[in-house]
Amino acid sequence: MKVVIVGGVAGGATAAARIRRLDEQAEIVVFERSGFISYANCGLPYYIGDVITDPEALTLQTPESFFARFRVDMKVHHEVIALHPDRKTVSVKDLETGREFEESYDKLILSPGARPTQPRLPGAGSDKLFTLRTVEDTFRIKGYIDAHHPKSAILAGGGFISLELAENLRGLGMDVTIVQRPKQLMNPFDPDMAAFIHSEMRKHGVRLMLGHTVEGFEERDGGVDVLLKDEPSLHADMVVLAIGVSPDTALAREAGLELGIKGSIVVDDRMETSVPDIYAVGDAVQIKHYVTGEDGLISLAGPANKQGRIAADNICGGDSRYLGSQGSSVIKVFDMTAATTGINETNARKAGLDVDKVILSPMSHAGYYPGGKVMAMKIVFEKETYRLLGAQIVGHEGVDKRIDVLATAIHAGMKATALKDLDLAYAPPYSSAKDPVNMAGFMVENIAKGIVKQWYLEDMTSLPHGITLLDVRTAEEYRGGHIDGALNVPVDELRERLDEIDAAKPVYVICQSGLRSYIAARILMGEGYDAYNLAGGFRFYDTVMNDRCLIGSATACGMDKKDTHLVPER
């Protein structure tokens, strides 16, 4: 059996190695148009920022090492320029010599990946404009920085690459501005959770120009003007376009393979295309979202590697199936970590799901053990069924392990109420006896049993008339910043001061994180009041509203604010 693989990075390299492990006699040829195979895309920004200093560390394998171990013929600087399914061959061009030839196959795997989206804008051909996708792109950017010592950079786009590059360019001492049309960074997150990411970026000196449309580029004074719609232009020494990627599927289109979203390659759960004996994996393929079952595109290394393994299994006579992707991801944002899995609230509602959420601010480990830090967690679930749909966490240490627990729970089809039952490891330096994941489960269970009723930040503009806003934090916290019009009665004084609260009016309760307000709501409900607890508390409200004011999307901040103390809940 002869297998030809187009593309030698994540999915292609994984498939090649797996085929060899399953079939020692197979002939395997990989064509990769760049000069590198099996390289770590996610590490590229860190080489630019001198966090990774050895360029060889970016490549997990070389053609020589791959051949020595797997006897796979890795042909770099070879571009497949056409597919011929009728005669089971591919046309190949040697980019070093210009020679063209045909290569036959019994089975073909397409792993072409995705290309950086290139807007057709005036001035987009400037040599001071860069994209970052390949090792060659990385060396080009790094070489430009080393040769010209730019003092400023504009990044167009607000996804993974842009944020990682912003951090690394700031580490080199550059002024960095991120410009993009949406009013938030990192679309896998809901806008409210993205506010925490925005705050961290601004804290480290990154200027955010959100909600602005780039219309072109002009070279001026040794740098580049970025032209904005209905706004003054921005000037920088260099620009990086990081506005997303598009499936690289011209070959598939010309060969008549069935295509899907954004021209992606349609595959079945065995990773086989519409043409027999041709498989496709990685960023170029359309997948099913594990949570919604809808078709989608997810450009992440984990799914690409799994798909490569599955295609290899099936080529070698097995029956492996790809169950879909839930988009689990994590990113370092300066001193913070942000992670997500499943679907966010925004996309769940777009998908027509009836959803609810809990928002909590637990400590990364036991509060009495030094060094603990607050994280913000948002858990999204389906009403009535309590099916767990997604989670987002922004914080410091411990974020990654919590998101992985939640990703596993989603994959297992657990209900959000079942999170309380998970038996998770505890020691004071690492967690609390009631882990943050367990706490989320307790909160959902309280909602399911009617023990607590919630109100949400988005309700602020439509609160009914004739209610009482009750802030149960300390007087000092209240003076530091509060929602305009809120009555302050600290929770520990509430029972003695119930006569200050009109029992005929619904009471909307606020505290720093939602814990003390939950206790207050239970006291009030026990005394016959109609009480509601603010999801996320004032810390969450404050971060989101400050962000909206900075972006310019809020009509009013809605807050009498002097200074907000982000302290652990007591």
Side-chain angles (χ1 to χ4, degrees):
M1 178 177 65
K2 181 177 180 181
V3 182
V4 169
I5 301 175
V6 180
V9 190
T14 295
R18 178 67 171 173
I19 291 169
R20 175 57 71 228
R21 289 194 293 269
L22 296 176
D23 186 347
E24 185 63 22
Q25 308 307 317
E27 180 183 356
I28 309 168
V29 182
V30 179
F31 294 110
E32 168 58 43
R33 65 179 162 221
S34 77
F36 301 88
I37 64 160
S38 193
Y39 58 81
N41 297 75
C42 301
L44 301 182
Y46 298 98
Y47 176 72
I48 292 170
D50 287 335
V51 177
I52 299 171
T53 56
D54 182 1
E56 293 185 1
L58 296 174
T59 52
L60 307 178
Q61 294 274 3
T62 65
E64 294 75 21
S65 67
F66 209 95
F67 182 82
R69 178 159 296 179
F70 298 111
R71 291 301 187 270
V72 170
D73 192 3
M74 284 281 188
K75 294 184 178 293
V76 297
H77 293 138
H78 280 68
E79 182 175 10
V80 173
I81 56 177
L83 312 179
H84 311 292
D86 54 336
R87 56 181 185 269
K88 301 187 82 169
T89 65
V90 298
S91 293
V92 185
K93 182 176 182 179
D94 184 333
L95 299 178
E96 294 180 349
T97 67
R99 182 176 72 95
E100 296 185 8
F101 60 93
E102 283 197 9
E103 188 84 21
S104 64
Y105 66 83
D106 296 310
K107 305 286 185 179
L108 176 65
I109 300 178
L110 302 178
S111 183
R115 290 181 179 272
T117 302
Q118 293 275 21
R120 295 183 178 179
L121 297 174
S126 168
D127 61 4
K128 294 179 176 60
L129 267 64
F130 302 85
T131 58
L132 181 55
R133 182 69 176 175
T134 67
V135 175
E136 285 91 345
D137 293 337
T138 307
F139 290 160
R140 180 172 171 240
I141 294 173
K142 181 67 172 170
Y144 185 86
I145 291 172
D146 290 344
H148 299 281
H149 307 289
K151 302 297 183 184
S152 59
I154 293 173
L155 311 180
F160 287 94
I161 290 293
S162 183
L163 268 64
E164 291 168 345
L165 190 56
E167 177 178 344
N168 281 277
L169 294 181
R170 285 294 296 150
L172 296 176
M174 297 173 63
D175 292 331
V176 178
T177 300
I178 295 178
V179 183
Q180 74 160 8
R181 184 181 303 164
K183 291 186 176 180
Q184 72 165 86
L185 303 175
M186 296 297 293
N187 283 332
F189 292 80
D190 284 314
D192 49 16
M193 293 298 289
F196 290 88
I197 299 174
H198 299 169
S199 178
E200 183 72 3
M201 299 294 283
R202 295 186 184 108
K203 173 184 171 182
H204 288 272
V206 177
R207 183 187 182 194
L208 301 182
M209 296 284 291
L210 306 177
H212 298 271
T213 302
V214 176
E215 292 198 322
F217 311 92
E218 290 181 359
E219 290 196 28
R220 181 177 63 84
D221 297 337
V224 182
D225 279 349
V226 177
L227 309 180
L228 303 179
K229 183 178 181 181
D230 301 326
E231 295 284 344
S233 62
L234 303 174
H235 185 80
D237 296 328
M238 62 181 293
V239 174
V240 180
L241 302 178
I243 55 178
V245 295
S246 302
D248 190 358
T249 56
L251 288 174
R253 180 184 299 106
E254 292 167 3
L257 276 64
E258 182 182 353
L259 302 181
I261 298 171
K262 293 184 178 179
S264 57
I265 303 171
V266 173
V267 293
D268 60 20
D269 60 359
R270 302 177 78 252
M271 306 314 299
E272 192 164 9
T273 71
S274 59
V275 175
D277 296 325
I278 299 181
Y279 297 75
V281 302
D283 295 353
V285 305
Q286 175 178 287
I287 56 91
K288 295 286 185 183
H289 197 287
Y290 186 78
V291 175
T292 66
E294 295 181 347
D295 294 331
L297 299 174
I298 295 182
S299 298
L300 293 169
N305 279 277
K306 294 181 184 73
Q307 293 161 11
R309 179 185 174 93
I310 289 168
D313 285 353
N314 293 320
I315 284 172
C316 294
D319 187 24
S320 292
R321 306 280 173 163
Y322 187 65
L323 301 179
S325 174
Q326 61 192 59
S328 301
S329 62
V330 63
I331 183 172
K332 178 181 181 294
V333 185
F334 290 98
D335 297 328
M336 294 185 74
T337 300
T340 182
T341 187
I343 56 173
N344 60 29
E345 180 186 5
T346 304
N347 289 332
R349 295 190 185 282
K350 286 180 180 178
L353 298 172
D354 189 15
V355 301
D356 202 351
K357 64 204 171 191
V358 292
I359 300 165
L360 58 159
S361 300
M363 295 286 285
S364 57
H365 60 241
Y368 60 83
Y369 188 88
K373 295 183 178 179
V374 178
M375 63 178 73
M377 296 178 62
K378 181 176 183 178
I379 312 297
V380 181
F381 57 93
E382 192 172 30
K383 288 183 179 178
E384 305 299 332
T385 69
Y386 292 93
R387 179 168 67 108
L388 188 59
L389 300 175
Q392 301 156 65
I393 312 177
V394 181
H396 297 84
E397 64 267 14
V399 168
D400 53 340
K401 76 172 183 176
R402 270 68 186 224
I403 207 70
D404 283 343
V405 169
L406 291 161
T408 304
I410 291 172
H411 186 82
M414 290 177 58
K415 292 185 177 182
T417 48
L419 295 176
K420 72 183 190 304
D421 300 317
L422 292 176
D423 193 352
L424 303 175
Y426 159 61
Y430 303 104
S431 185
S432 302
K434 291 183 284 189
D435 188 85
V437 174
N438 296 136
M439 289 300 301
F442 294 144
M443 293 171 69
V444 178
E445 181 187 47
N446 283 341
I447 293 170
K449 291 183 175 181
I451 294 173
V452 68
K453 295 181 289 186
Q454 296 191 113
W455 68 287
Y456 308 97
L457 184 150
E458 56 266 29
D459 296 331
M460 280 298 301
T461 57
S462 59
L463 288 176
H465 294 291
I467 66 164
T468 299
L469 274 179
L470 177 64
D471 191 323
V472 297
R473 295 176 299 155
T474 65
E476 180 184 5
E477 289 174 294
Y478 181 84
R479 287 192 297 269
H482 59 268
I483 298 175
D484 191 30
L487 171 67
N488 181 220
V489 179
V491 64
D492 293 338
E493 302 173 15
L494 182 59
R495 290 181 177 89
E496 288 71 38
R497 296 175 60 181
L498 285 174
D499 58 344
E500 298 178 31
I501 304 166
D502 189 342
K505 295 181 179 180
V507 184
Y508 285 64
V509 194
I510 306 151
C511 76
Q512 192 74 351
S513 73
L515 175 58
R516 283 174 288 175
S517 52
Y518 161 62
I519 295 169
R522 289 304 304 154
I523 293 171
L524 291 166
M525 292 173 75
E527 295 291 340
Y529 288 79
D530 184 18
Y532 299 80
N533 186 26
L534 175 60
F538 184 78
R539 176 188 295 115
F540 188 79
Y541 171 90
D542 181 41
T543 300
V544 175
M545 294 304 292
N546 282 341
D547 183 59
R548 290 181 181 176
C549 290
L550 288 169
I551 295 172
S553 62
T555 55
C557 293
M559 169 168 53
D560 178 6
K561 183 179 186 302
K562 297 177 182 177
D563 181 33
T564 303
H565 304 284
L566 298 188
V567 296
E569 182 66 280
R570 293 192 296 274

